[in-house]
Amino acid sequence: MKKLINAPEAVLEDALAGIAAAHPTLRVDAENKVIARADATRPGKVALVSGGGSGHEPLHGGFVGLGMLDAACPGEVFTSPVPGQMLAAAQAVDGGAGVLFIVKNYTGDVLNFQMAAELAAEEGITVATVLIDDDVAVQDSTWTAGRRGTGATVFVEKIAGALAEQGADLAEVAEMGRRVNDNSRSFAVALTACTTPASGKPGFDLPDDEMEIGVGIHGEPGRSREQLRPAKEIVATALDAILADQPLNTGDETIVMVNGLGGTPLLELYVVFNEVAAVLADKDIVIARNLVGSYVTSLDMAGVSLTVCKADADILSLWDAPVNTPALRWGT
Amino acid sequence: MKKLINAPEAVLEDALAGIAAAHPTLRVDAENKVIARADATRPGKVALVSGGGSGHEPLHGGFVGLGMLDAACPGEVFTSPVPGQMLAAAQAVDGGAGVLFIVKNYTGDVLNFQMAAELAAEEGITVATVLIDDDVAVQDSTWTAGRRGTGATVFVEKIAGALAEQGADLAEVAEMGRRVNDNSRSFAVALTACTTPASGKPGFDLPDDEMEIGVGIHGEPGRSREQLRPAKEIVATALDAILADQPLNTGDETIVMVNGLGGTPLLELYVVFNEVAAVLADKDIVIARNLVGSYVTSLDMAGVSLTVCKADADILSLWDAPVNTPALRWGT
Amino acid sequence: MDIDLARTWVQAIAAAVDKHKDHLTQLDSAIGDADHGVNMHRGFSAATTALTDYTPPTVGAVLVKTGTTLISSVGGASGPLYGSAFRAIGKALDTPTADTQQFAAALAAGLASVQQLGAAAPGDKTMIDAYAPALAAFQQQANSGSDFATAARAAADAAEDGMRATIPLQARKGRASYLGARSIGHQDPGATSTALIFRALAETVTAR
Amino acid sequence: MDIDLARTWVQAIAAAVDKHKDHLTQLDSAIGDADHGVNMHRGFSAATTALTDYTPPTVGAVLVKTGTTLISSVGGASGPLYGSAFRAIGKALDTPTADTQQFAAALAAGLASVQQLGAAAPGDKTMIDAYAPALAAFQQQANSGSDFATAARAAADAAEDGMRATIPLQARKGRASYLGARSIGHQDPGATSTALIFRALAETVTAR
Ligand SMILES: Nc1ncnc2c1ncn2[C@@H]1O[C@H](COP(=O)(O)OP(=O)(O)O)[C@@H](O)[C@H]1O
Ligand SMILES: Nc1ncnc2c1ncn2[C@@H]1O[C@H](COP(=O)(O)OP(=O)(O)O)[C@@H](O)[C@H]1O
Ligand SMILES: [Mg+2]
Ligand SMILES: [Mg+2]
Ligand SMILES: [Mg+2]
Ligand SMILES: [Mg+2]
């Protein structure tokens, strides 16, 4: 295992200290493992809290700041944080208007946030929850754990965060978060496995001419293994899955994210975006806004995820609203 | 070789098309391979042009925009662009106040930009050149090619770009660029080799418990190979080399970049930044501003470079000036 | 089962988890996210620490404390699930000692709590597939008048059988469910840690 | 040397570069940035294309066009260096044909141009280490009255000797210089392509 770390057990603590040192706009509670905005929540503003296992940076800590999250709770690598962290985060940022938990749909995240919501209620904090489940690679049914939450998290955090900044109440912010999630679909492909610091070995062996189709962001294998193909064909596969699940019409406006999984050079992400733009242009689907970069990663995994969010004028105007976080910044 | 591309020969063309599709603030000349600001250069503003081989994204195209570069010329992967590209860029963005070429010190870049400067002069465009040579891993002497240009490029482009935006003349902007370069030192360490699309194989074999010390950003091996060590010790080695070359005093203010080489997760970069902050704090050297992320990459190489720039009040205020590029944005 | 034994059980789990940490993580690497060993290790290390300076009034208090500590230190799916299980088991044992029948009832409360929280059914390829047969075996021995150690050994055997029986299953809950049919052929990490927990119980009470 | 031969020489270089592309890139991978083969291939493909519809008035015009095309298509260090060399060689051959002495003088102008631009000296582990001995051998044969083909073969042999002699050298110019002592033991890619260029010349004029 080759990592720039001191010890597998110390990764989270060291990285949190680094985040604290790097970003004066953030306030890091090392004891409770909470990354919060340095400025107090404006009284009456709904506070947004998200979190999940570490290893997906900049998600979530990199999205804490004006117009996006008020706090993030990073767990150990690929491990949901514990309820105490989430409670501490909620207490740190509640501005009296309630707290929105933005939770990616994984059993661990769901259960821990659920317990945290109960604890918060006991402390008199009103909590609403938005569950993110955008990954169309996963079969969805009442018998399964449901779809994973992946790229759409960025869209939900940005857009719900902007609405909260504008003074909307908790129900409105939660409703908008759910709307964005409902409008979003993702699909990911991996060229290599990632290696967690604790395990020290790649999660799976992948021959030099193969790729995993339909992977998540936790190093698990995907739905199937296939021959490595040109970017154009990989994009076609991913977009087919996305559009089959949520057909879009001519003229529909979208926000598209081409997201690197951690070990993929930006050069390749632009190659991928070019193919995405070509396919959507062909169908007269408009990419009104886009993100090309590594926003929701899976440690050092090489690969890409695509997220397409159907966007109306409200969503676009909230997208364009000012944001000032380590990983997304405009208008400030 | 595992890459999200269509064909090795098509990488640059496809990526340029992707950049054009992703960024409405940029104007991409696919024929001449020039990435320029979409808005015309303000008459009387000095125009900044940089360029170099591709594979270092977001450098340079990701730094084109308000307050930074006016145009970038991307060459083939790890290959300096040709003089014709640079001339086309200079012609596209000259606002009558002259053009500053920002050139990383590699024989190819230097010779091609030199030829371009001659061509531009023939076209009546005044050109000044700033050479970036910040990499202390390379022995510097009149008998060698001199030090490589690496991380300091970002600092020079940002700070000279801000000064140009404020209306300074070509000599002043060039002078500031040289000052920032003179004040900056870098050192890099690689955990893995990178693979160019054309060669299809990693540039060197590195056993699982070793690292290359003092690498550049073109996949070449470093000055020596050593046992992999904890982040703390790697940082000590790098900072020792940097501070030995440019001693800093108690109270000195700096801009520090912890830069991922392409395949390194952000989580690890924060671990590294934490160590850098600790060492400098110990010496009472102030990190007044910082960048933690992947800004000057070497395709998919895992590793990190540190850049330390001694910064006075002028430099800091230019650093803080508004910038609006795909990869760096604040104040707008 | 008494207070001391309960504490020794938790320590024995911690020791077993420490020993099998890498194995649990490797199982989780195949069909999950490679953290189950580390998660369990973090949790049971914290639990033994929490118990060190604690003077529990009842058997149950030991286990409630253990559960609470797991919830506050593990994270992931296994933290709330095991945490609730231990809390439920503990809440059902509000006495300084517990006999085999009482313990069977407590284990049942623990399973109910896991199922209520995680909504998994037997056959979904989760810890339930080790827990449910272990509980059934323990209950059966209790009903037929066996002593605690015999019941615990039967439970451990059944848990291990159940653990092995997860191999051919296709996961319907937890991360492994994302793999669809590709989860078949791998042993569930949570079922494996459940088997460790029951084996630790059997060994603890047998050693006494 | 005449116009046709000059054109055939450039085509022969292109063919040789095509054949040895991967080898050049692998050499550059060891002590550089793994692009020399691709660079040379891009450049000489462009040069042959540029010559296709071109009716050159002189031997030199063929080579000036080749050099200009290299400069505008190669990039990297080798683009300007080889480009200037061919332009300088061409500028010295302002006639429809050139004899051995004239060609020797032109080759000397080419080397001077590389040295002026790149400031490398013999022994720095660059293309110069193949070019300089090739020129010396060609000049010597020319001085002793050998025919063009004999001179060209002597130059090719000397270039290949020079190329091999770069192996033990420590680089002082170009990317390989960054490696310090670690550049020792590797053959210089640019010296290797220079040897290809002189071998192509020898074969072209011998075939005539
Ligand atoms: N809904 C559920 N009900 C019961 N057990 C579950 C459920 N989901 C997951 N598990 C168990 O949790 C184990 C994984 O635990 P762990 O790896 O620690 O958490 P995570 O999956 O969050 O990484 C699985 O092997 C499975 O036995
Ligand atoms: N200053 C110089 N003078 C002469 N030849 C040089 C010089 N620098 C580099 N070279 C030659 O150029 C070759 C590398 O060419 P190439 O790989 O195409 O360019 P780059 O180094 O820019 O990637 C080296 O092997 C060396 O022979
Ligand atoms: Mg986990
Ligand atoms: Mg090159
Ligand atoms: Mg797990
Ligand atoms: Mg090269």
Side-chain angles (χ1 to χ4, degrees):
Chain A
M1 174 182 56
K2 306 189 111 173
K3 297 200 179 292
L4 293 161
I5 61 175
N6 290 312
E9 318 76 61
V11 170
L12 178 55
E13 185 185 333
D14 289 353
L16 271 178
I19 290 170
H23 302 296
T25 58
L26 302 181
R27 174 169 38 113
V28 173
D29 174 348
E31 161 126 26
N32 286 305
K33 301 202 169 107
V34 172
I35 302 169
R37 285 173 62 169
D39 50 344
T41 305
R42 207 176 61 232
K45 185 187 102 64
V46 170
L48 276 71
V49 171
S50 191
S54 292
H56 308 301
E57 292 65 30
L59 192 78
H60 297 269
F63 298 126
V64 174
L66 175 98
M68 218 162 161
L69 297 180
D70 293 273
C73 317
E76 295 293 327
V77 169
F78 291 172
T79 303
S80 159
V82 296
Q85 272 176 276
M86 299 153 180
L87 176 63
Q91 289 174 317
V93 300
D94 181 27
V99 175
L100 183 70
F101 282 170
I102 298 175
V103 182
K104 303 195 295 304
N105 186 36
Y106 300 98
T107 307
D109 296 68
V110 170
L111 296 182
N112 283 286
F113 267 107
Q114 191 174 303
M115 291 186 165
E118 286 163 23
L119 297 174
E122 286 168 23
E123 303 289 323
I125 300 173
T126 315
V127 169
T129 298
V130 171
L131 203 65
I132 314 292
D133 60 347
D134 54 316
D135 186 348
V136 299
V138 171
Q139 243 159 355
D140 196 11
S141 101
T142 47
W143 301 105
T144 65
R147 286 182 169 168
R148 295 175 287 222
T150 60
T153 316
V154 179
F155 294 170
V156 171
E157 291 178 1
K158 169 69 186 82
I159 292 162
L163 190 61
E165 209 68 63
Q166 293 178 2
D169 68 23
L170 183 59
E172 291 165 339
V173 175
E175 170 55 29
M176 179 55 78
R178 288 187 199 109
R179 177 134 75 95
V180 173
N181 179 63
D182 287 349
N183 285 6
S184 299
R185 300 290 186 282
S186 296
F187 193 94
V189 169
L191 304 191
T192 67
C194 64
T195 301
T196 64
S199 114
K201 288 178 225 155
F204 46 84
D205 288 317
L206 199 51
D208 216 42
D209 57 347
E210 292 184 3
M211 59 181 172
E212 285 279 334
I213 301 286
V215 295
I217 54 171
H218 294 89
E220 67 270 41
R223 299 288 299 192
S224 64
R225 186 168 286 195
E226 295 185 11
Q227 281 299 111
L228 189 58
R229 285 179 283 138
K232 186 193 269 309
E233 297 176 26
I234 293 174
V235 165
T237 300
L239 281 180
D240 279 353
I242 286 171
L243 296 178
D245 200 82
Q246 172 173 265
L248 293 175
N249 296 317
T250 297
D252 277 352
E253 294 203 300
T254 62
I255 308 177
V256 168
M257 177 166 71
V258 168
N259 173 60
L261 294 180
T264 295
L266 187 52
L267 186 70
E268 296 177 31
L269 299 181
Y270 280 119
V271 170
V272 169
F273 185 75
N274 184 44
E275 299 301 337
V276 173
V279 172
L280 295 184
D282 220 52
K283 299 183 193 290
D284 278 321
I285 296 166
V286 180
I287 304 180
R289 304 290 184 278
N290 70 78
L291 287 180
V292 180
S294 294
Y295 295 100
V296 182
T297 59
S298 185
L299 293 171
D300 54 347
M301 179 175 268
V304 69
S305 73
L306 307 186
T307 302
V308 177
C309 173
K310 188 177 161 177
D312 54 25
D314 286 352
I315 288 178
L316 289 178
S317 112
L318 291 166
W319 180 259
D320 292 339
V323 59
N324 182 354
T325 71
L328 275 195
R329 182 167 179 180
W330 54 74
T332 71
Chain B
M1 174 183 55
K2 306 188 110 173
K3 298 200 179 291
L4 293 161
I5 61 175
N6 291 311
E9 317 76 62
V11 169
L12 178 55
E13 185 185 333
D14 290 352
L16 271 179
I19 290 170
H23 303 296
T25 58
L26 302 180
R27 176 168 38 113
V28 173
D29 174 348
E31 161 126 25
N32 286 306
K33 300 202 169 106
V34 172
I35 301 170
R37 285 173 63 169
D39 50 344
T41 305
R42 207 173 62 231
K45 185 186 102 64
V46 170
L48 276 70
V49 171
S50 191
S54 292
H56 308 302
E57 291 66 29
L59 191 80
H60 296 271
F63 297 125
V64 173
L66 175 97
M68 218 161 161
L69 296 180
D70 292 273
C73 316
E76 294 294 328
V77 170
F78 291 172
T79 304
S80 159
V82 296
Q85 271 175 275
M86 299 155 179
L87 175 63
Q91 288 174 316
V93 300
D94 181 28
V99 175
L100 182 70
F101 282 170
I102 298 176
V103 182
K104 302 195 295 306
N105 186 36
Y106 300 98
T107 307
D109 295 68
V110 170
L111 296 182
N112 284 285
F113 267 106
Q114 192 174 303
M115 290 185 165
E118 286 163 21
L119 297 174
E122 286 169 22
E123 302 290 324
I125 300 174
T126 315
V127 170
T129 297
V130 171
L131 203 65
I132 314 292
D133 60 347
D134 54 316
D135 186 349
V136 299
V138 170
Q139 242 159 356
D140 196 11
S141 102
T142 46
W143 300 104
T144 65
R147 287 183 167 167
R148 295 175 287 221
T150 59
T153 317
V154 179
F155 294 169
V156 171
E157 291 177 359
K158 169 69 186 82
I159 292 162
L163 189 62
E165 209 68 62
Q166 293 178 1
D169 68 22
L170 183 58
E172 291 164 339
V173 175
E175 171 55 29
M176 178 55 78
R178 287 186 199 110
R179 177 135 73 96
V180 172
N181 178 64
D182 287 349
N183 285 6
S184 299
R185 299 291 186 282
S186 296
F187 193 95
V189 169
L191 305 191
T192 66
C194 63
T195 302
T196 63
S199 116
K201 288 178 225 156
F204 47 84
D205 289 317
L206 198 51
D208 215 42
D209 57 347
E210 293 185 4
M211 59 181 173
E212 285 281 334
I213 301 285
V215 296
I217 53 171
H218 294 90
E220 67 270 42
R223 297 290 297 193
S224 64
R225 184 169 285 196
E226 295 186 11
Q227 281 299 112
L228 188 60
R229 286 180 282 140
K232 187 192 269 307
E233 297 177 25
I234 293 174
V235 165
T237 300
L239 282 179
D240 279 354
I242 286 171
L243 297 177
D245 200 81
Q246 172 174 265
L248 294 175
N249 295 318
T250 297
D252 277 352
E253 296 204 298
T254 62
I255 308 177
V256 168
M257 177 166 71
V258 168
N259 173 60
L261 293 179
T264 295
L266 187 52
L267 186 71
E268 296 177 31
L269 299 181
Y270 279 119
V271 170
V272 169
F273 185 75
N274 184 43
E275 300 301 336
V276 174
V279 171
L280 295 185
D282 220 54
K283 298 182 193 292
D284 278 322
I285 296 166
V286 179
I287 304 181
R289 305 289 185 277
N290 70 78
L291 286 180
V292 181
S294 294
Y295 295 100
V296 182
T297 60
S298 185
L299 292 171
D300 55 347
M301 179 174 269
V304 67
S305 72
L306 307 186
T307 303
V308 176
C309 173
K310 187 176 161 178
D312 54 26
D314 286 352
I315 289 179
L316 290 179
S317 111
L318 290 167
W319 181 259
D320 291 340
V323 59
N324 182 356
T325 72
L328 275 195
R329 183 168 179 180
W330 54 74
T332 71
Chain C
M1 170 70 64
D2 59 26
I3 293 174
D4 241 37
L5 214 52
R7 191 198 299 272
T8 313
W9 178 30
V10 175
Q11 287 162 345
I13 299 171
V17 162
D18 186 45
K19 193 166 150 204
H20 294 95
K21 187 170 100 170
D22 288 348
H23 180 228
L24 293 175
T25 292
Q26 292 315 323
L27 290 175
D28 197 29
S29 178
I31 54 172
D33 58 351
D35 63 354
H36 190 57
V38 195
N39 288 349
M40 295 298 286
H41 187 257
R42 189 172 53 250
F44 280 94
S45 302
T48 49
T49 306
L51 291 179
T52 309
D53 295 323
Y54 178 58
T55 316
T58 60
V59 171
V62 176
L63 304 176
V64 168
K65 179 117 204 145
T66 299
T68 308
T69 309
L70 293 179
I71 290 174
S72 68
S73 64
V74 175
S78 54
L81 292 171
Y82 277 131
S84 305
F86 274 91
R87 281 173 56 85
I89 295 170
K91 282 187 189 159
L93 298 172
D94 200 11
T95 45
T97 65
D99 66 17
T100 312
Q101 277 296 358
Q102 278 177 291
F103 201 80
L107 285 178
L111 179 61
S113 157
V114 171
Q115 290 201 273
Q116 200 224 322
L117 211 55
D124 283 355
K125 197 178 183 116
T126 69
M127 55 175 71
I128 304 260
D129 293 319
Y131 197 151
L135 167 63
F138 193 98
Q139 183 72 67
Q140 201 201 325
Q141 294 293 333
N143 292 350
S144 59
S146 301
D147 66 3
F148 199 105
T150 307
R153 282 194 299 272
D157 291 347
E160 285 165 6
D161 287 348
M163 162 192 100
R164 279 185 290 269
T166 62
I167 297 177
L169 296 176
Q170 173 165 342
R172 277 188 297 255
K173 283 286 187 291
R175 290 176 189 287
S177 70
Y178 307 142
L179 272 70
R182 289 178 91 190
S183 62
I184 293 170
H186 298 275
Q187 183 170 306
D188 180 60
T192 308
S193 55
T194 295
L196 291 180
I197 290 170
F198 279 100
R199 181 56 65 197
L201 178 66
E203 287 177 355
T204 304
V205 295
T206 302
R208 167 68 70 88
Chain D
M1 170 70 63
D2 60 26
I3 292 175
D4 240 37
L5 215 50
R7 189 200 300 273
T8 312
W9 178 31
V10 175
Q11 286 161 347
I13 299 171
V17 162
D18 187 45
K19 194 167 150 202
H20 294 95
K21 187 171 100 172
D22 289 346
H23 181 227
L24 293 175
T25 291
Q26 293 314 323
L27 290 175
D28 197 28
S29 178
I31 54 171
D33 58 351
D35 64 354
H36 189 56
V38 194
N39 288 350
M40 295 298 285
H41 187 257
R42 188 172 54 250
F44 279 94
S45 302
T48 50
T49 306
L51 291 179
T52 309
D53 295 323
Y54 177 58
T55 315
T58 60
V59 171
V62 175
L63 303 176
V64 168
K65 177 122 209 141
T66 298
T68 307
T69 308
L70 293 179
I71 290 174
S72 69
S73 65
V74 175
S78 55
L81 292 170
Y82 278 130
S84 305
F86 275 91
R87 280 173 57 85
I89 295 169
K91 282 186 189 160
L93 297 172
D94 200 14
T95 46
T97 65
D99 66 17
T100 311
Q101 278 295 358
Q102 277 177 293
F103 200 81
L107 285 178
L111 178 61
S113 159
V114 171
Q115 291 202 272
Q116 199 225 324
L117 210 54
D124 284 354
K125 196 176 183 121
T126 69
M127 55 176 69
I128 304 259
D129 293 319
Y131 197 150
L135 167 61
F138 193 98
Q139 184 73 66
Q140 201 201 328
Q141 293 293 332
N143 293 350
S144 60
S146 301
D147 66 4
F148 199 106
T150 306
R153 282 194 300 272
D157 292 345
E160 285 165 8
D161 287 346
M163 162 191 98
R164 278 185 290 269
T166 61
I167 297 178
L169 296 176
Q170 172 166 342
R172 276 188 298 255
K173 283 285 186 291
R175 291 178 188 284
S177 69
Y178 306 143
L179 273 69
R182 289 179 91 190
S183 62
I184 293 169
H186 299 275
Q187 183 169 307
D188 180 60
T192 309
S193 56
T194 295
L196 290 181
I197 289 169
F198 279 100
R199 181 57 63 197
L201 178 67
E203 288 177 354
T204 304
V205 295
T206 301
R208 167 66 73 87

